[in-house]
Amino acid sequence: DAGITQSPRHKVTETGTPVTLRCHQTENHRYMYWYRQDPGHGLRLIHYSYGVKDTDKGEVSDGYSVSRSKTEDFLLTLESATSSQTSVYFCAISSQGEYTEAFFGQGTRLTVV
Amino acid sequence: GDSVTQMEGPVTLSEEAFLTINCTYTATGYPSLFWYVQYPGEGLQLLLKATKADDKGSNKGFEATYRKETTSFHLEKGSVQVSDSAVYFCALIGGATNKLIFGTGTLLAVQP
């Protein structure tokens, strides 16, 4: 299995509180991604990173920020959680070139009450 | 921009039937193509991939061939089992942005 770990796996938080989700990889892959998955919406890209301190917005980035201070870690922060951010969050990593590959973490189930 | 279109589900089949899930893409250059499977309550697992035209990816009896002339990467299996019931996602990397881009997913339900 690819070396990618998300933490926490489950979290319940209150509306208005900040929340940070962590994605950690041991594959030294350049690209990292955060997606959310909701019934009827498939996978939607929140933010992605193409290198240390290099990030860009995805299709549903409002209310989320990210940081990547080192290759192995990609943090997703909800500055002030809302009930609409209740979802399952997946991190993915990818390398590109001759041996292009992409793998997912196990997911974080976040509930905002 | 880059995009992936896959057939809508649900797809309902009887055990041992032949499966095809269509996937087409739009991208500049030469993207890499993937199929992922998601079983109920679980994360996404890489099922197979192809990185250049005419490559065939295969795994667990599933196959898909990278067809650049038709910009397609259709998933096939000759004889499905109940245990294949899951959501299948087609995806690409590369093209204009190097982002990992997904189709909407296709739910497969296999009945005994």
Side-chain angles (χ1 to χ4, degrees):
Chain A
D1 289 346
I4 175 170
T5 307
Q6 291 184 231
S7 58
R9 294 292 314 281
H10 302 272
K11 186 170 182 66
V12 179
T13 192
E14 293 186 349
T15 298
T17 61
V19 177
T20 295
L21 308 182
R22 181 183 185 230
C23 179
H24 178 78
Q25 62 148 328
T26 57
E27 303 293 328
N28 200 36
H29 284 354
R30 177 182 176 189
Y31 294 85
M32 300 185 75
Y33 313 80
W34 278 107
Y35 295 87
R36 60 178 290 175
Q37 186 176 36
D38 305 289
H41 290 279
L43 287 158
R44 293 184 288 176
L45 181 64
I46 305 171
H47 282 279
Y48 73 105
S49 170
Y50 46 97
V52 173
K53 298 185 179 178
D54 291 324
T55 65
D56 204 354
K57 296 179 179 180
E59 60 184 304
V60 290
S61 59
D62 288 348
Y64 302 94
S65 63
V66 290
S67 67
R68 191 169 178 200
S69 59
K70 46 187 178 178
T71 300
E72 56 265 37
D73 288 326
F74 192 34
L75 304 180
L76 176 71
T77 298
L78 290 67
E79 301 291 347
S80 178
T82 68
S83 58
S84 65
Q85 293 175 313
T86 292
S87 187
V88 179
Y89 292 85
F90 287 101
C91 176
I93 60 174
S94 73
S95 66
Q96 294 171 47
E98 185 177 355
Y99 298 104
T100 297
E101 58 182 13
F103 298 102
F104 276 78
Q106 296 167 297
T108 295
R109 184 173 296 277
L110 177 67
T111 303
V112 183
V113 298
Chain B
D2 301 337
S3 66
V4 174
T5 302
Q6 61 182 105
M7 63 189 289
E8 294 202 15
V11 174
T12 303
L13 296 173
S14 298
E15 206 165 22
E16 299 184 1
F18 184 86
L19 168 71
T20 300
I21 300 178
N22 291 337
C23 171
T24 58
Y25 68 90
T26 301
T28 58
Y30 299 89
S32 295
L33 302 174
F34 304 85
W35 277 100
Y36 289 86
V37 58
Q38 186 177 34
Y39 299 103
E42 298 185 9
L44 279 79
Q45 301 175 25
L46 178 63
L47 181 59
L48 53 84
K49 70 174 185 180
T51 57
K52 60 183 185 294
D54 299 325
D55 269 2
K56 178 185 283 187
S58 61
N59 187 24
K60 299 180 180 178
F62 291 89
E63 293 183 340
T65 300
Y66 189 144
R67 301 286 189 200
K68 188 158 180 66
E69 64 275 14
T70 55
T71 62
S72 65
F73 193 54
H74 304 321
L75 182 68
E76 297 181 335
K77 187 176 185 183
S79 176
V80 294
Q81 305 301 311
V82 172
S83 58
D84 293 326
S85 298
V87 179
Y88 292 82
F89 292 92
C90 184
L92 70 81
I93 288 180
T97 63
N98 281 327
K99 283 190 286 189
L100 177 55
I101 295 173
F102 283 86
T104 53
T106 302
L107 174 63
L108 170 65
V110 181
Q111 298 176 339

